[in-house]
Amino acid sequence: MDYLSQLNDLLPTSSRLLSNSPGFLGQLAFSLKDAVTILCAAVSIPMTGFGSPNKEAPSEVPFYGRSPPVYPSPIANGTTSEQWAAAYEQARALVAQMTVEEMVNITHGWPGPCVGNTGEVPRLNIPSLCFYDGPDGLRGQEFVSAFPAGIHVAATFDKDLMHSYGRALGDEFYGRGVNIALGPVAGPLGRIARGGRNWEGLSNDPYLAGVGLGAITRGIQEAGVIATPKHWLLNEQEFRRRWSSEGDAISSNVDDRALHELYVFPFMDALREGAGAIMCSYQRANHSYACQNSKLLNGILKTELGFEGFVVSDWDGQMSGVASANAGLDLVMPNAGFWGVKLSQAVNNGSVTEERITDMATRILAPWFYLHQETGYPPTAIFSSEEKHAPVDVQAEHAELIKEIGAAGIVLVKNVNGTLPFKKPRFLCIYGYDATVKAVPWTNPDRYGGGYEVNWGWDILNGTLVTAGGSGSTTPPYVISPFQALQERVSKDRGVLRWDFYSEDPETPYVNTDACLVFINAYAGESFDRTTLADEFSDRLVLNVAAKCASTIVVVHSAGIRTVDAWINHPNITAVLFAGLPGQESGNSLVSILYGDVNPSGRLPYTVAKKQSDYGALLNSTISSGYFAEDNFVEGLYIDYRAFDKDGIKPRFEFGFGLSYTTFAYDGLSTSLMSTITGDSTLTEFPNPDVPIVQGGHPELWNIVAVVHCTLTNSGNREGSEVAQLYVGIPSEDGEADTPVRQLRGFSRVGPLAPGEKRTVVFELTRRDLSAWDVVAQQWRLRRGEYKVWVGASSRDLRLDGSVVI
């Protein structure tokens, strides 16, 4: 037992070994001879900046133990697969030749061209590994693509497009010599409606987010690049996500069941697909910082889920030295943080074992071998905008994929009397700031629209919105605006356009126009949470245009939920589209939908309420003025549509909703247990404890337990695709309603289908899909009873129902 690290963990952060938190001088002296004598001394100088200059920070001792300690950090061994085993054999052989100082050298960041650069070991031909943003494309570079944002990809409900997206991203990172891509994102999951970074993720439903996270991870790594699913875990708001003069970062306090069934759930898919790295988050979890939280890192990630790769801190997210090393952090970015020479000293004095530092180094190198980056990897080609260099063009034919995903993620939510698709209009009026490109978008060369220095607190972007703000933003090679694409289309038809990108109340009415299009947006970004889900200027603009135009079409580009009840029922508003964050081909994607070249099939990856207050306590980030800020996840499993179902609130547009230019009929539902098909009657409540854990969790969690079939028919008169959705009701226990009435557990984008064409849809339900987390057994459990099954077009448009009994 490592008594030294346990004692260290019991001390306040300000007094822990190797701690140099701002405002503190902490020195901890240990003598641990023959495991008999423990000598500890700690001195804390008053902290300036917390309240008055002479006020000391309060003690954190009362919060200890709220996140259970799990030690020691598991040693990875590569037993998940033959590919991992081979990688570990190579990594162990190389690490065996390294000194402690060389191992320490690769566990932290160094100056270099990338946003993160590991140390080198030249004598062993270990290069500096390059980390780079972001989840939607190479930020701040030239001749790279700006892909749609994660929330837009999720709106496609298309597993194949998600995988193609990941592969294209990976190809671009590979072509620029980036070893580790900092994405994809499933944290934040999107618990808070106004969360500033929800747009980076893949919806607030864990199943949809998991499918996307797994498919994108697989695509990135098929290109030879290490994926880094992030942020592990519970970074659900931007307010006080970091330590500051106000005190510690917010603590996300969550129960064990919600932790697993909501927030861990999507990461399991990425791990199963072989993710080589995981990024831990800034905030605390149950009062322990995420990058030194032994329960999250050692207990869940490395033990329950068998993670073979390395854990990297979010940038400057490390908050301790010995504590973070022993809790499972493997690599700190972007500099030495609390490690460097101090980590060498900690190993030499026994505070961190040689076994732990060896495992850290081995975990860092194993994914490098796993994806065969040790030979023939392209040289790093990352440059600043002020650095003269030859072009390194990695765009390939990705614009076509971006355009396809852009169209597939557009959600049509209103369409009166067939307003859309257009039937070759000759006269269109274009209104709104979002119709054209921002006049001065490159004040920050790394971020389209603006960087942290200017965009903090924005509600809208004064220009068409194709990406949002922060480290996940993109640097488009160009932007096809809606106005540009519409002008090209109308000019081919020898039509007429009139436009006003500025006025709140355009003056001139054009009575001969076929339609008026109003373009608005809703912005969000890293470092701040949104203050509203609807801005008054945009709402007034829409109403003013609708008052003068009998056929007004509203297009909303948004970084998340945008409420529309200020104008949605206006009789002159005949069509509304949620156009998301579609990337560089924005206008082309939109026009393909408007003109019917593509039949819309996008679905909402969140619930749009009638009024903001309908989100209740999950509308805003938790505001805490205390030193130890807290956010209590008292809602448990009930977020987004689960909460609306539980509370009986009718949304404006429910999760999974979206219209088409055709109609679809559902029939022929059938359900069956695999045990009835195979004759196997050994379906147990828990997975077999004798089967070893592999990366992604117990392998039996992925076994197919039940199969659902139905028939889908295009009952309309246009070709189109439908997103069939499967929802499951897991039985509650002891007569208590302890489980959401229904949860998404399958989806399939079917088509395109010609009018009258039928297709059989098959949903396969795994053990994990039908299990609930048992907090006593600490395992996924198949409950006995009747599992209700629904298939339909959204979470509330349920066309078929049935059940399976276990």
Side-chain angles (χ1 to χ4, degrees), residues 257 261 637-638 685 728-743 769-773 781-790 803-806:
R257 186 174 170 201
E261 293 190 26
L637 301 174
Y638 297 94
E685 285 186 290
V728 170
I730 295 174
S732 295
E733 292 206 312
D734 302 325
E736 297 183 9
D738 68 343
T739 301
V741 63
R742 65 183 61 87
Q743 304 175 68
D769 294 335
L770 298 178
S771 294
W773 180 255
R781 178 185 171 201
L782 274 177
R783 294 176 170 182
R784 301 300 181 185
E786 181 185 31
Y787 288 72
K788 295 182 179 179
V789 174
W790 298 268
S803 65
V804 294
V805 177
I806 295 178

Side-chain angles (χ1 to χ4, degrees), residues 758-770:
K758 297 184 178 182
R759 191 166 300 175
T760 299
V761 186
V762 180
F763 300 100
E764 296 178 333
L765 291 165
T766 67
R767 174 184 278 271
R768 186 189 64 153
D769 294 335
L770 298 178

Side-chain angles (χ1 to χ4, degrees), residues 20 65 95 98 140 144 188 215 245 278 310 333 340 516 596 680 690 696 704 793:
N20 58 5
V95 171
M98 299 171 68
V144 300
S245 60
I278 290 286
F310 62 86
M333 281 292 170
C516 301
D680 182 3
D690 295 328
I704 298 170

